[in-house]
Amino acid sequence: MTTPSPTHTTDVAIIGAGPAGLFAAFECGMLKLGCVLIDALDEIGGQCAALYPEKPIYDIPAHPAIEGGALIGALDQQIAPFDVPRLLGRRVERLEGTRGAFVLGTTKGDVIAARAVIIAAGAGAFGPNRPPLEGLAAFEATGSVQYFVRRRADFAGRDVLIAGGGDSAVDWALSLREVARSVKLVHRRDRFRAAPESLRQLDEAVSRGEVEKIIGYQLHGLHGTDGALAGVDLATLDGTVRHVACDHLLPFFGLATDLGPIAQWGLDTLRGTIPVTPSTCESSLPGIFAVGDVATYPGKLKLILQGFTEGAMAAHAIHPIVHPDRALHFEYSTSKGVPAG
């Protein structure tokens, strides 16, 4: 079977348009490497845009706090001079070739010829871990049960029950207390896996009566009519049941993730991630790089800022693949400015 003619020819194909992918595109542009962004979502931004556009992020350098959507907007503005094509709403289902000559195919029939590939797919395709509750789908359909908060205003004046013990549960309890009529946080034990500062703020909010903690209980049942939630039953391990009246249930039990077709491309993988060489972010297949949450190596921190660094390292490692006869002399952006796209 003959390979279809490319619909796009570029230096670097970047799979994933979340923060790490967007900054990798910027770094490629700074090195005068052409690139194409590809993402399964219909908008750029990855989890920042899809899951928490209004949630503050506190560990972005020079920003004491910045909402996920605002961060994506700033990254989008940063790559604007390079006119990076975006192939959104499609997945890369096929990757063939070798270092310097890859061909990628998408679910919408795009054929991309690229000299190198950067996988910035985050955790891959993602979806919520749903609690095993009878009748759950009807309450999901009306928005009474939600797994992501896109607009805090949707919960204004409402009674909200949040379930979970991680950062998302704690952070949203703190954030929604400012708009909701009441916020209750339920967890099976009085030990939360959240940032120490967030836990300090939670303790203060509980002491002021802004958030109620319900400890030792788990979700047990849903009550309501036609998808409108009226309350949730909680149960202890010994069978004690407590009913909590609420308008919304927000279960934060993590994401179920899947690398999808990426796992079939012959790359070494490790529990849903791609091991890379730390100094270059190159995977086990020459010419294919991984950055952001999908990349792993000893000492890896799953922070957005580390994904930014990895994007820069990958772009510099790709330069000799695209320009083998051109030496790359490092220059600070204050000296060279932003080159034309």
Side-chain angles (χ1 to χ4, degrees):
M1 184 176 66
T2 59
T3 302
S5 299
T7 55
H8 297 79
T9 299
T10 190
D11 295 326
V12 187
I14 301 177
I15 302 172
L22 292 171
F23 193 73
F26 170 75
E27 288 293 328
C28 286
M30 291 294 285
L31 299 181
K32 298 187 178 180
L33 301 174
C35 62
V36 172
L37 283 164
I38 312 158
D39 201 288
L41 299 178
D42 291 324
E43 59 182 346
I44 64 170
Q47 292 186 28
C48 279
L51 307 188
Y52 47 90
E54 293 187 354
K55 183 178 178 181
I57 304 170
Y58 298 102
D59 54 8
I60 302 299
H63 292 278
I66 183 170
E67 293 182 350
L71 174 63
I72 297 306
L75 289 165
D76 189 21
Q77 184 178 2
Q78 192 173 29
I79 65 172
F82 306 119
D83 295 323
V84 179
R86 298 111 185 270
L87 304 178
L88 304 178
R90 63 261 277 165
R91 291 208 315 180
V92 178
E93 58 181 357
R94 179 174 55 89
L95 187 150
E96 301 170 350
T98 58
R99 181 181 188 270
F102 291 105
V103 177
L104 300 82
T106 76
T107 50
K108 288 195 175 180
D110 309 284
V111 178
I112 302 106
R115 309 287 291 278
V117 176
I118 295 177
I119 300 174
F126 55 85
N129 287 316
R130 290 175 161 82
L133 299 174
E134 185 177 350
L136 180 65
F139 296 101
E140 291 175 334
T142 62
S144 292
V145 175
Q146 298 183 33
Y147 305 96
F148 317 120
V149 177
R150 294 185 62 85
R151 289 186 352 114
R152 292 197 314 155
D154 292 343
F155 302 93
R158 312 292 281 175
D159 295 311
V160 179
L161 176 65
I162 296 174
D167 282 303
S168 292
V170 172
D171 289 349
W172 280 120
L174 293 172
S175 180
L176 292 179
R177 67 184 165 144
E178 301 171 355
V179 296
R181 179 166 53 197
S182 69
V183 175
K184 294 179 174 65
L185 176 62
V186 59
H187 188 41
R188 66 184 184 276
R189 57 185 179 180
D190 196 8
R191 187 175 180 180
F192 291 82
R193 306 175 312 281
E197 174 60 18
S198 298
L199 293 178
R200 185 193 65 78
Q201 293 181 32
L202 177 63
D203 288 341
E204 290 184 353
V206 170
S207 67
R208 291 193 295 263
E210 298 167 350
V211 175
E212 179 184 348
K213 280 200 302 186
I214 303 175
I215 302 302
Y217 286 83
Q218 301 183 68
L219 300 180
H220 184 66
L222 303 174
H223 294 275
T225 305
D226 297 328
L229 189 66
V232 176
D233 284 342
L234 308 176
T236 63
L237 291 178
D238 64 9
T240 302
V241 176
R242 171 181 172 178
H243 181 78
V244 175
C246 58
D247 304 306
H248 291 282
L249 169 63
L250 304 179
F252 294 115
F253 299 140
L255 298 175
T257 60
D258 180 11
L259 284 178
I262 295 174
Q264 310 303 318
W265 295 345
L267 296 159
D268 288 347
T269 60
L270 178 65
R271 294 189 293 273
T273 61
I274 300 172
V276 299
T277 301
S279 60
T280 62
C281 293
E282 191 167 26
S283 73
S284 60
L285 292 183
I288 299 180
F289 300 75
V291 304
D293 283 356
V294 76
T296 189
Y297 48 84
K300 165 78 176 193
L301 296 175
K302 286 195 172 184
L303 296 173
I304 292 174
L305 62 90
Q306 189 138 12
F308 291 161
T309 300
E310 292 159 359
M313 291 191 297
H316 279 77
I318 287 170
H319 188 274
I321 298 175
V322 178
H323 301 295
D325 300 323
R326 186 185 306 171
L328 176 59
H329 300 289
F330 180 80
E331 292 182 75
Y332 293 108
S333 61
T334 51
S335 301
K336 66 180 181 180
V338 178

